[in-house]
Amino acid sequence: MENTNEIICKDLSLKETAKFLKKHDNFVILTHASPDGDTLGAGYALFYGLKEIGKIAAVICADVIPKKYGYFVHETDNVDSSKATIIAVDVATKALLGSLSEEFGDNVDLCIDHHISNSRYAKNLYLDAEASATCEIIYELLECMHVNINNNAAKAMYTGIATDTGCFKYSNVTAKTHIIASKLYEYDIDAATINKIMFDTKSRKLLELERMVLDTAEYHFDNKCILLSVTAEMQEKTGCSGSDLEGIAVISRSVEGVLAGISIKQTGDNEYKISLRTYPPLNASEICKMIGGGGHNSAAGATVHGTLEEVKAMVLDAVKKNMEESDARVSSSK
Amino acid sequence: MENTNEIICKDLSLKETAKFLKKHDNFVILTHASPDGDTLGAGYALFYGLKEIGKIAAVICADVIPKKYGYFVHETDNVDSSKATIIAVDVATKALLGSLSEEFGDNVDLCIDHHISNSRYAKNLYLDAEASATCEIIYELLECMHVNINNNAAKAMYTGIATDTGCFKYSNVTAKTHIIASKLYEYDIDAATINKIMFDTKSRKLLELERMVLDTAEYHFDNKCILLSVTAEMQEKTGCSGSDLEGIAVISRSVEGVLAGISIKQTGDNEYKISLRTYPPLNASEICKMIGGGGHNSAAGATVHGTLEEVKAMVLDAVKKNMEESDARVSSSK
């Protein structure tokens, strides 16, 4: 429904994408809002690659880039966006551009992405839904362009691949993912330090928050569902906010026997953000759709209004429905 | 000091190790006590490889093998150990054989290991201290022997590599580690499920224990050191024991700014097992040596006797000494 301008989106091959980039000289590279390791890794690796062949490029993001990415995020060029070629990396829909959507949403010349759900809002699209991360695609693209990969580009791409795969843990990893990782090790990337920053660094305040959150644990539906809550009060007391809270969803998905891990985070007066992690036969995307959100089959989210108790009831009801539906599917296939 | 029998330990090359295995027909494969993914993965992968070429082999361990390894741990052969060739995998010292040490400690014909600290107790040794895991060596060995790798062997080796590297997170990972992982993906191993079992499954009782342990957090030396305690009472209350507690050390190493993460686990009346994780310039191995233990530079342990308060004082004193020594090293090199 998003393409109200009826942009005709052309699918490019990897070679055509490489050609496209070589043909143009000035670029604005857009990353998605609430930036993560993959969108930033892809944006900056592409930037460093384009610089190696004499192009001018800027990387921009609607939101502030977290400091922890500072080991590969450096200043980019000043580019007049009205005369530049606009590229979006790892941005599945216009809306994910955040506040940049208004200016750029209908003017993206090329989108490079790995989300099967890409809404085809760009004029040209290189989509590889088999890639574990957009950074995996950027690596192949730079190789295809015979562009020198420098240390910054290698660190950026490793970061994107590591963060989108939970450090090679998830089912999106393929043999190719490991082959690309092995090649990135040749660029002196100090992957252990990157991984320490991305996965194994917890602030003392976050440790304190986790202790509080564990106190809120509720089990439902025969222990197949765990629900964790982060109230505004907890955030205030510990000083944790925003990206500090990403780890809570990870806790919810790791409890033995749990098929639905719900974390509810207060984001305003009577406003809560729900993060849901599921295992088959449950489907996080279907559940979150019922409460006005969306996402992937195993990880999805929604923003819901009401009191904490109302919000809990709403999401639990949606989980229950999905459980019943999947039970019905199992019975009917017997 | 361990080689009281003055066994002359011969270093083998990979090819010689392959030849050695082909030459013999009956094997007992020893894994270390308190078995982990690498010793079990190596033992069972070697077993499956030897079976593929018609050999008879048993895999044995002093301790019960945790159920979670059940996807590659299956029954092995009955072997008369008095007539068999004795192999130890991932076993750095005789003592690590646990209760098997008495029977086999002085009779190990071949040790295959990646610990630089290997005490050379076996008659023959293939040591590759650059390997991230003994399973990395076993993969190369099976390849060198031109032995068919079956699905069980692949799952076993992937498990060892993943568990010894924190799922490709740590500094022991090399380009070769990722190349071997990419090859193991060809054997339909379902790595995501393995990783879920190894890294992302926490029992409800463990979640409860973690909440209690977080309450014990003490910070020392300008917050460069965190100390977590697990008392016998906590273990009793939650029903957590043994391998359930491995994750506590991981918490201690992940706190921002911490160079020494100490976890102290009660193992008996006035008996405590210390797990230490450090970052440079601190050295876990040096610290644990001071209190009668040992290990790697970044991960080491010791068993210490006394009251909890005495044990805490002892380990904190050792950490303090190492901090002062490393400060002195830094100053003298200026």
Side-chain angles (χ1 to χ4, degrees), chain A residues 6-75:
Chain A
E6 303 221 12
I7 285 170
I8 293 165
C9 175
K10 189 184 164 198
D11 284 291
L12 302 188
S13 69
L14 189 69
K15 264 194 182 166
E16 287 168 336
T17 309
K19 228 182 204 172
F20 180 100
L21 293 170
K22 288 206 161 175
K23 209 173 63 187
H24 297 89
D25 293 310
N26 292 280
F27 299 91
V28 168
I29 302 169
L30 309 174
T31 58
H32 65 65
S34 302
D36 62 12
D38 194 29
T39 197
L40 293 172
Y44 280 85
L46 184 58
F47 165 75
Y48 294 120
L50 292 171
K51 293 310 291 174
E52 288 280 334
I53 52 171
K55 310 285 186 183
I56 305 292
V59 180
I60 60 176
C61 183
D63 297 324
V64 174
I65 297 175
K67 273 187 199 160
K68 64 179 176 180
Y69 298 105
Y71 58 92
F72 71 81
V73 168
H74 302 295
E75 215 174 316

Side-chain angles (χ1 to χ4, degrees), chain A residues 206-218:
Chain A
L206 186 57
L207 216 60
E208 177 57 17
L209 180 80
E210 281 189 8
R211 196 182 60 80
M212 290 180 180
V213 170
L214 289 181
D215 276 335
T216 72
E218 291 175 22

Side-chain angles (χ1 to χ4, degrees), chain A residues 230 232 235 265-273 303-304:
Chain A
V230 188
Q235 296 174 56
K265 180 178 82 187
Q266 188 164 10
T267 48
D269 279 347
N270 285 319
E271 187 187 89
Y272 293 86
K273 190 167 180 281
T303 296
V304 180

